[in-house]
Amino acid sequence: GETSTMPANGQFTLATGQTAIITGIPDGVTCTVTENDTAGEKKVSDYFTTTVNGVAGYSTEVEMDVESTQPATVAFVNTAKTSKLTVEKTGMSEGESAIVNVSVGDETYTVVLKGSSATAVITNLPIGANYSATETDWSWRYTKNGIDYSDTARKINKEGTSKITVKNSPTGDKWLHDEDSKTNIFGTN
């Protein structure tokens, strides 16, 4: 790896999977190692659960022991918090089904919804991930009336209330239209 000098304020940044090795700390000195809970304007704790050496929190103390054969180690683990997204379809008749493709972050989910008030819930989605939906052309008997999103930012929220509503309306009350539609008249004796 690369070698650099510790800044005077003692702060440095590590990306996912990176390691920092700090040398030259005198024997017997106790160091406090803390992960900052902010990343720009966002709080890390809103999106991740953090442990330090297996204990929940953002800080730990480490005493330097030059006679030890093992270096003092501090391991921060950030686990993404998850939430859910509800997908709802309105305007269908009983027994009919529709397909909605939902994108969350880099993942795409295909959701099959069936019935007049169909809903599905996608779980274990990372909080803060962007989401969107597209409806497949599933029936010539219905008109697409748009997709409503529960929040304009279209980000999975920690409260679990993120929701997509896909709306349709029937194009008419007949299976066939115009010249394909005929009125049946039975005997008038």
Side-chain angles (χ1 to χ4, degrees):
E2 79 184 53
T3 302
S4 61
T5 303
M6 176 75 75
N9 66 4
Q11 295 183 3
F12 55 92
T13 301
L14 295 176
T16 300
Q18 284 187 316
T19 301
I21 299 173
I22 303 168
T23 59
I25 300 172
D27 186 32
V29 170
T30 299
C31 297
T32 300
V33 182
T34 304
E35 179 179 55
N36 190 342
D37 189 29
T38 58
E41 296 178 11
K42 297 179 180 178
K43 288 186 71 158
V44 174
S45 59
D46 286 344
Y47 301 94
F48 296 93
T49 300
T50 301
T51 60
V52 186
N53 293 344
V55 177
Y58 294 93
S59 186
T60 192
E61 290 187 350
V62 180
E63 184 175 342
M64 299 301 125
D65 180 0
V66 293
E67 294 181 14
S68 174
T69 58
Q70 298 295 318
T73 302
V74 177
F76 287 91
V77 177
N78 292 320
T79 305
K81 290 181 179 179
T82 61
S83 192
K84 64 182 180 177
L85 173 65
T86 301
V87 182
E88 176 183 59
K89 178 85 165 150
T90 64
M92 292 190 303
S93 296
E94 284 302 321
E96 294 180 321
S97 59
I99 298 173
V100 178
N101 292 312
V102 179
S103 296
V104 181
D106 295 333
E107 300 290 326
T108 299
Y109 302 85
T110 300
V111 179
V112 179
L113 299 166
K114 186 173 183 174
S116 61
S117 303
T119 61
V121 178
I122 305 170
T123 59
N124 295 321
L125 301 174
I127 292 173
N130 294 319
Y131 67 91
S132 64
T134 56
E135 178 183 13
T136 62
D137 291 327
W138 62 280
S139 175
W140 53 270
R141 291 189 60 224
Y142 291 87
T143 300
K144 293 179 187 179
N145 292 335
I147 299 174
D148 288 341
Y149 296 92
S150 62
D151 60 317
T152 55
R154 294 186 193 175
K155 292 187 179 292
I156 301 298
N157 64 42
K158 64 183 175 185
E159 294 82 16
T161 58
S162 300
K163 183 177 180 181
I164 296 171
T165 303
V166 182
K167 301 180 296 182
N168 294 118
S169 61
T171 55
D173 60 352
K174 297 180 176 67
W175 282 94
L176 301 174
H177 299 285
D178 302 327
E179 68 275 355
D180 295 324
S181 179
K182 300 294 180 201
T183 303
N184 289 326
I185 302 174
F186 296 97
T188 56
N189 297 10

